[in-house]
Amino acid sequence: MFLPFMMGHHFGVPFHVELQKRIIKEALRRIKLAENSGDIYHFPMTWAQARTEGKEIERLRVG
Amino acid sequence: MSLTYLKEAVEAGDTEKLIRYVRLHFGDGNEEAGRKEIDKAWVEALKPLLDVPPTDRAFVLKTLEERDVATLAHLYFHLHFYFVKRSGEWIHDGEL
Amino acid sequence: MTENSDDITELRPGLWDTVNDRYPGSMITKADLIPLAKAAKPLSASRLTFVSTSGVQRRGTMPFDTVHPVGDYTFRRVPSDSKPGDLEIHQLKYPTVGAKRDLNVIFPIERLRDLVNEGFIGGLTDNFYTFIGYNMDAERLERTLAEDIAAAVEAEKPDVVLLAPA
């Protein structure tokens, strides 16, 4: 599974528990869904989207 | 692979390839940054010696005499990074 | 067999040239893809282990060798019940800005335990496995580190292995 995220952030952004779990779940689903060795699944989220959601979570944490 | 590249450079006496590799290592892939990091390490190594404080020269000589060249080379890389870190200016993404 | 490759599909065209320029000869590909293995059990009944190049290790263990010019070919066992505060990162080559605040962004140890508690995964092996990605001798990596981790992982008898770079 390929994520277009910043290096060092392959499971998402800090404190975004749901995204972190979703990434793991999607990766593990490849066990059933991958058809060929070497198949690449592109995780359907941009780094900008992940950061935006992360910032909102951090805002709520602080608040 | 990279080790082959380096060994071929050693065989060919291509020191430019070898020093470039070291600079890239110290600069995390940026040769110019690596050059500055190496210079920075030497500057930081010079500073503590300017007032000629007592140093454990017996330890230094014993280490050079008794340790194998690979350990000393490894120590040389450690010392470079040690003085880079000691400078207080840390350009690397991670930690030693 | 591990070899340099010039003719394989790149996810980001041009990236390999850049990396090869920065770390000459380091971009490699595997010519012998391993056939897909079918899962023997559903995930909810499977024991999972995690293998990561993050350089995460228990505090107080020998730090990964981040200064060696050719890399570190050792691995560390990280107990899967570790708290993030029990762990630290030793590596130089990736941004740890997120991981310093929440280790789960690179080493999702708490999320994997969450998924066990939620029943998505059956369980975890006693240990996870880590090493650092700055290893410039691919042949040595394959012959030593990869084999050593494979043997250690196999001894824990997981059903599923999650692999993640950093």
Side-chain angles (χ1 to χ4, degrees), chain C:
Chain C
M1 181 183 162
T2 304
E3 57 190 34
N4 290 78
S5 174
D6 296 322
D7 55 3
I8 197 163
T9 305
E10 296 181 43
L11 288 170
R12 290 167 57 187
L15 177 64
W16 284 27
D17 289 340
T18 305
V19 175
N20 262 327
D21 184 52
R22 291 180 178 180
Y23 298 102
S26 64
M27 293 304 281
I28 57 167
T29 184
K30 293 282 291 178
D32 48 350
L33 286 174
I34 296 168
L36 270 186
K38 292 292 173 193
K41 303 175 186 174
L43 273 171
S44 57
S46 296
R47 247 159 59 95
L48 178 142
T49 197
F50 179 45
V51 178
S52 160
T53 68
S54 58
V56 169
Q57 56 186 106
R58 278 186 296 167
R59 289 186 188 279
T61 55
M62 175 66 85
F64 282 112
D65 189 348
T66 53
V67 311
H68 197 293
V70 187
D72 185 338
Y73 301 83
T74 64
F75 71 88
R76 303 287 182 274
R77 286 182 173 82
V78 177
S80 61
D81 60 357
S82 301
K83 296 183 182 73
D86 299 335
L87 307 174
E88 60 188 7
I89 302 174
H90 289 283
Q91 68 73 41
L92 284 179
K93 309 294 188 192
Y94 74 82
T96 49
V97 57
K100 279 179 181 164
R101 303 180 62 226
D102 178 4
L103 188 67
N104 293 286
V105 303
I106 198 64
F107 196 77
I109 190 164
E110 291 178 306
R111 296 298 84 78
L112 287 166
R113 288 200 293 261
D114 289 347
L115 291 174
V116 170
N117 292 335
E118 293 169 16
F120 187 81
I121 301 168
L124 303 173
T125 54
D126 289 345
N127 296 289
F128 294 155
Y129 295 86
T130 62
F131 57 107
I132 59 172
Y134 187 79
N135 290 303
M136 305 306 280
D137 184 350
E139 189 276 330
R140 179 185 295 271
L141 186 147
E142 187 168 13
R143 177 166 43 82
T144 61
L145 176 57
E147 290 287 345
D148 292 345
I149 288 187
V153 165
E154 202 171 12
E156 295 219 35
K157 300 193 181 310
D159 302 298
V160 173
V161 183
L162 177 64
L163 308 171

Side-chain angles (χ1 to χ4, degrees), chain A residues 2 6-15 17 20-21 24-25 27-29 31 34-38 40 42 58, chain C residues 11 33-34 36 39 43 48 93-95 97-98 101-102 104-106 108 111-112 115 118 120 160 164-166:
Chain A
F2 177 79
M6 182 183 182
M7 277 181 78
H9 298 73
H10 297 328
F11 293 93
V13 290
F15 314 117
V17 172
Q20 293 168 2
K21 286 197 290 191
I24 298 170
K25 285 180 173 179
L28 294 177
R29 285 196 181 103
I31 294 169
E35 292 178 355
N36 296 297
S37 185
I40 295 170
H42 290 252
E58 300 230 16
Chain C
L11 288 170
L33 286 174
I34 296 168
L36 270 186
L43 273 171
L48 178 142
K93 309 294 188 192
Y94 74 82
V97 57
R101 303 180 62 226
D102 178 4
N104 293 286
V105 303
I106 198 64
R111 296 298 84 78
L112 287 166
L115 291 174
E118 293 169 16
F120 187 81
V160 173

